[in-house]
Each structure stands twice: as C-alpha cells, then as structure tokens.
Amino acid sequence: MVFSNIVVAVDGSTASQEAVDHAVDLARHSNAVLTGIFILDSQWPDFIGNDWQSSKGARQGFLDHIRVEQEEQAAAARAQFESASGGLEHATFHVHAGDPTDVLIEQANSDKTDLLITSRRVFQVSGRPSLKALGTTLARKALRPILLLP
Amino acid sequence: MSNESPGFFRQLPSALPGLALIILTMVVIRNWIEPWMTDAVVFGSKGWLVKVTHLNYILLGIICGLLYRNILFGGKMPEIFSNGFKLSRLMIKTGIIMLGSLYTFSAIVQLGAMAIFLIGGFVILTIIMVLWLGKAFGLDRSMTGVLANALSVCGVSAAVATSPAVEAKASHVAYAIATILGFGILTMFISPFIGHALNLTDLQYGAWIGTGILNSGQVLAAALAFNPNVAPGTAVSVAEIWNIMRVISIPFAVFAVTVWYWAGRDESDATGKKKSLGTLLVEKFPVFVIGFLVMVFFTSMGAFGDVGLKNGPPASETIKMMRLWMTWIFGFGLVGLGGYIDFKELRQAGGTPLKLGLIVGTTKYVLALIVVFLIKDYLVAI
Amino acid sequence: MANDVKTGSETIGAAGPRGKMTLFKDDRAEDIGAIILTVLVVAVIVVWKMK
C-alpha cells in the first residue's frame, strides 16, 4: 500500500512527539506529503453552557483565557512539527477550529488522507474530559487507514 | 441595554426552532405525561411514579432535555436548535426576578439573615477543607483556588469567574467543572427523595439544598422537584433566597481567592491580573438582583393585590396568574438546562478534582442536612 | 501564534467567531434582558386581569 498523503495530529506534548516521528519516517520512506494538524477546541462555550453568570465579562474572560492557552498549545505544536519534519520536502502544518474529535474523524475519512497518525492521548493537554475517549471514538468511526499510537 | 446588543434581535429568529421544541416538550409533559403518571398503575399501586419517584414536570423536563442531547442528537445539540436552547438561562433569570412577587421585605430580611448565617458558615468550612485537602492531595494553588470557590459558593459559575484570575489550566478547570456538574446532577435527582423520606418542611428543605447543592440551576430544579408550587414559603421561595445570596457573593469570593493566590506568588507577575474589590463589584455585580428587589418592592406595596400569606386573605387573581406563568417559565428554562448536560464529559471526569470534589461536596451536603435538622426550631415559618 | 501563516503552513476554518453561550452581548445584558422580559410578562398579566 502506498501512502501519498499522510496526516498527523500534533499538540506539542511528548505523546504527540512519537506520532510525529513515526509520521515523518513514513513520509520520508514513501515520499509522501505530510500534513500536521492542530485543532483549536470550539466546544468550550458549550461545555460551560449551563452555568449561571451575571457579570459583564466573566464568561468571555474565561473563554479568552482558555483560547490563549490553546493558541500557545498550537504554537508549541507547530514548533514540534517543524523541527521534526525539517528535512521533508512536502510538509505543511494546519490549524483547524472545531470539535477535535469531529475534525479528526473528518480528516481520517477524507479522500485526501491516505493515512492518519495520532497518539491516543493527543489534545488532552488542554482538553475537556471527553477528549480522553478521542482515540476510541476515532478507531470506531474511521473508514480509512489510521495508525493509533499509545 | 439588551436591545442595543449587536445581533440579539437578528439572532432571535434562529432561536425559534429550539424554543418551539422546548415549549412543545413542556406542553406535552404537563398536559399528558404528568396526568398519565398520576393515574398510571405501576407495581399494583396507583400513581406510584409520582408518589415514590417524585418525578414531576420539572424533573421530567430536565430528563427530556438530556435525552434530546445525549440520545436523540447523539451528544451534540444540532445547529438548528442550539440558539433556542441558549435562551433557557434568560428564562430562568426571568422566572427568578418574577419570584420577587413571593416576598415582603420583612420576609426577605428574615430569610436573607438565615441564609447569610448558613451560607457564611459553610463557605468558611468548605474553604478550610479545600485548602487542607488541596495540600494533602498535592494540588497546585490555582486549582485549589478554583475548587475552593466552586465548592463553597456557586459551582460552575464561580469556577468560570475565578479561573482566569488564578491562571488555572484549561484541562484542570475542565475536570473541576465536570466534577461539579456531575455532583450537582446527582444531588438534584436524589434530594427530593431524601427530603420526602425525612419529611422535611419546605423551609428546611429549601435551606438544605440552597446550602448543599452547588449550581444555581440545580438548586432551582431540586426545589421545584420537591414542591412544584410557587407560593410564599414553598421550597423554591426559600432556596432561591439562598441562591441569590450566593450569586451576590461571587465577586467577593473571586476577590478573596485572587488575593490569596497572588499572595503566594511573585508580585511582579501580578500586574493586570489583580483587580480591586471595587472594580470586581462593578464588573461582576449581578444586575438581575435589582430587578428582583424592584419586584419585591412592588409586591410589598400591594401593586399586584394580596399575595396570599398564611392566615391572610387569599392571593389575588393577578398574583395567581403570575405564579402559574412562573411555573411554565421555569419549566422551559429547565428543559434547556437538561439540554446542556453532556454525559460524554461527565463520564470522563476523574483525577484529583473528582476525589476532592466528591469528598467536600458530600460532606457539605450531609452536614447541611444535619444542620437544618438541628436548628429546625429556629427556622421560623414566614 | 495560530493565525500566523508561515511558509508551508496555514490556518483552516477561521478560529471561529468567539463562541458565546448567550444571544446577548454578555451575561449582564442577559440579566437586563431578563428584567425587560419580566416587565413585559408582568404587564401582560396585569392588563389581562384588569378586564
């Protein structure tokens, strides 16, 4: 099987380092296009949705606080991807926004993706509790090849 | 003013499908499901569902909301309904302001004093417990601060208000929120049971859940689940005074925890993060309380006729209709609340926040029950 | 930061409009909205029962 388009989920953590290293190796061997992705979690407003707030900026202040952390995470992910994929000719890094689980499943099932590589623990560094089940959900819903690392 | 807020009226049409679903749900529950449950024979006894499980339109509404989200829609509110569900908090707030028509000023003062006494005592106790356990479990300062406020004051609202000020990490806050929500949902469903089993009076029950349950919406739901009547002296009229006191105390709690947090840090990092109490009060004062007090004022002045106090003349037609409408407004709001309960998140809660949250939450819940029992003679009826 | 576009990298799907959980400008506006709604509801009831 030839993989000409490989996608790897990156979040800057040690867990994702292994996934990136594997992805870079594979891309190099099969001369594939490698895409690193990070997903800004858009589900936080919903997650804190049913609480009571009366003050002017509390909710937005909280969401901005979370967003800053996520953007730092995205920057770390980008740095991790760029340093690992240094020698590769076709390597790009994308930042998406959405529910990480949904976006990752969509990526895995896209015609343009021949192989999706990710750690089970990806996006947990600054994630909501349900992202712990991301790996399991992905394994269940993926229709195309995926490589799920611990 | 809300009218000037960009987009509110432009977004309103998009809220109609969700709103329609919420209203339809409540209408079906109150017109068909509740009457059916009252008559249904289960385990050979008529009305078992109502007498034993204490399921009323409030709990049924919440259950419907959470079934919609978690079962029917597979875990996420569809785009078409989401704006309508976002209006549910507006309804709860409106209902609470209308609740002002249940009190006279003297009743507010009496209940408020009792609430301050109980809430104050439990806030101190909770904070001491959280600080001590936080140290024992090796939790970092920012997380300890968030949990101290969340568990002592107002649940998720307090966690959200406190987190940025103490630089809490997203994933930590997420676990704290999941714990608090999970605990709240559990207590919301079991409290009416316990209350009836122990034969608590409305006043005792209201004081208990007002102290022991963490989140505003859940206090409201637990009160109406115990006694769906909205009238002076019912569970909801007591519990909501507790709730309002807690919402008012959020700015103070945020201030206290922020000061505590930055006292243990290098002062030079604190620029821009530390806010004065004055700023916090202006920023965070809950404006709905003013509406509530204006309502109390008009009611006390007799603007809506007799309120139907015990041993007094019966409630006026206007007051009766307001109370009926309140039950509907709360019903709508709580279907929406159910729609925000996400089992996916709750199932994955864990770690130290869960341990600490459960220990402190349960202690508070049980102790509050014991306290309302012990001081029942002092809990004068209003 | 996430929105910088460097060579060989881009941001897909705008980081999104800042997600809000209320149709109002903020939560204080929601409080004021609730007060206005209360006034409306109470006015309707009072007028209704005046007849």
Side-chain angles (χ1 to χ4, degrees), chain B residues 355-371:
Chain B
K355 267 190 278 178
L356 200 150
L358 283 184
I359 295 174
V360 177
T362 312
T363 310
K364 196 174 153 190
Y365 185 73
V366 174
L367 265 184
L369 180 59
I370 296 172
V371 168

Side-chain angles (χ1 to χ4, degrees), chain B residues 323-340:
Chain B
R323 288 178 190 162
L324 177 68
W325 284 34
M326 271 186 253
T327 63
W328 281 97
I329 292 173
F330 282 139
F332 299 149
L334 291 171
V335 174
L337 178 112
Y340 282 114

Side-chain angles (χ1 to χ4, degrees), chain B residues 20 55 79 232 242 244 289 335 371:
Chain B
L55 283 175
E79 202 58 43
W242 261 246
I244 287 170
V289 173
V335 174
V371 168

Side-chain angles (χ1 to χ4, degrees), chain A residues 1 15 19 25 49 58 61 68 80 103 107 111 113 127-128 132 139 147:
Chain A
M1 193 158 189
D25 265 1
V68 168
Q80 186 179 46
V103 174
Q107 285 290 319
D111 299 342
T113 309
R128 293 167 292 120
K132 267 201 289 195
L147 177 57

Side-chain angles (χ1 to χ4, degrees), chain B residues 149-170:
Chain B
N149 268 359
L151 290 163
S152 66
V153 189
C154 219
V156 179
S157 319
V160 166
T162 312
S163 298
V166 298
E167 306 179 305
K169 280 199 117 24

Side-chain angles (χ1 to χ4, degrees), chain B residues 103-369:
Chain B
Y103 315 89
T104 56
F105 268 112
S106 69
I108 291 274
V109 171
Q110 271 188 46
L111 278 173
M114 215 188 305
I116 289 175
F117 169 72
L118 260 178
I119 292 173
F122 272 90
V123 164
I124 294 168
L125 177 93
T126 315
I127 288 178
I128 292 173
M129 260 187 95
V130 174
L131 293 184
W132 178 65
L133 284 173
K135 204 169 240 175
F137 288 147
L139 220 54
D140 64 27
R141 278 175 80 83
S142 60
M143 221 29 231
T144 310
V146 170
L147 280 171
N149 268 359
L151 290 163
S152 66
V153 189
C154 219
V156 179
S157 319
V160 166
T162 312
S163 298
V166 298
E167 306 179 305
K169 280 199 117 24
S171 59
H172 294 177
V173 186
Y175 283 86
I177 289 177
T179 300
I180 293 157
L181 278 179
F183 182 79
I185 291 160
L186 187 73
T187 47
M188 172 172 80
F189 281 106
I190 62 170
S191 299
F193 248 137
I194 299 176
H196 284 293
L198 297 176
N199 262 326
L200 294 185
T201 63
D202 278 80
L203 190 61
Q204 281 178 313
Y205 181 81
W208 170 43
I209 58 163
T211 314
I213 295 186
L214 302 170
N215 289 303
S216 303
Q218 292 157 350
V219 171
L220 174 70
L224 287 168
F226 177 78
N227 180 355
N229 293 322
V230 176
T234 54
V236 69
S237 78
V238 178
E240 281 312 313
I241 293 293
W242 261 246
N243 196 18
I244 287 170
M245 286 296 177
R246 297 196 315 190
V247 175
I248 293 176
S249 68
I250 291 181
F252 297 97
V254 172
F255 176 73
V257 164
T258 313
V259 167
W260 167 81
Y261 176 74
W262 289 104
R265 298 276 315 245
D266 183 7
E267 280 292 320
S268 57
D269 295 344
T271 349
K273 298 256 181 186
K274 250 166 74 175
K275 289 177 176 163
S276 73
L277 183 57
T279 320
L280 277 173
L281 276 178
V282 173
E283 237 175 52
K284 297 196 188 297
F285 182 79
V287 175
F288 82 94
V289 173
I290 297 171
F292 176 84
L293 289 176
V294 170
M295 200 74 194
V296 176
F297 174 76
F298 278 119
T299 312
S300 297
M301 301 311 278
F304 310 117
D306 289 311
V307 294
L309 286 176
K310 257 183 219 156
N311 312 321
S316 71
E317 287 301 309
T318 311
I319 287 278
K320 273 191 205 155
M321 181 171 263
M322 277 167 60
R323 288 178 190 162
L324 177 68
W325 284 34
M326 271 186 253
T327 63
W328 281 97
I329 292 173
F330 282 139
F332 299 149
L334 291 171
V335 174
L337 178 112
Y340 282 114
I341 298 174
D342 190 345
F343 283 139
K344 250 187 357 283
E345 304 292 351
L346 302 182
R347 230 192 346 253
Q348 299 289 346
T352 318
L354 182 70
K355 267 190 278 178
L356 200 150
L358 283 184
I359 295 174
V360 177
T362 312
T363 310
K364 196 174 153 190
Y365 185 73
V366 174
L367 265 184
L369 180 59

Side-chain angles (χ1 to χ4, degrees), chain B residues 77-93:
Chain B
M77 271 294 160
E79 202 58 43
I80 183 168
F81 294 128
S82 82
N83 272 358
F85 274 73
K86 282 181 191 170
L87 282 179
S88 64
R89 213 177 26 241
L90 173 73
M91 294 186 224
I92 293 181
K93 283 179 174 173

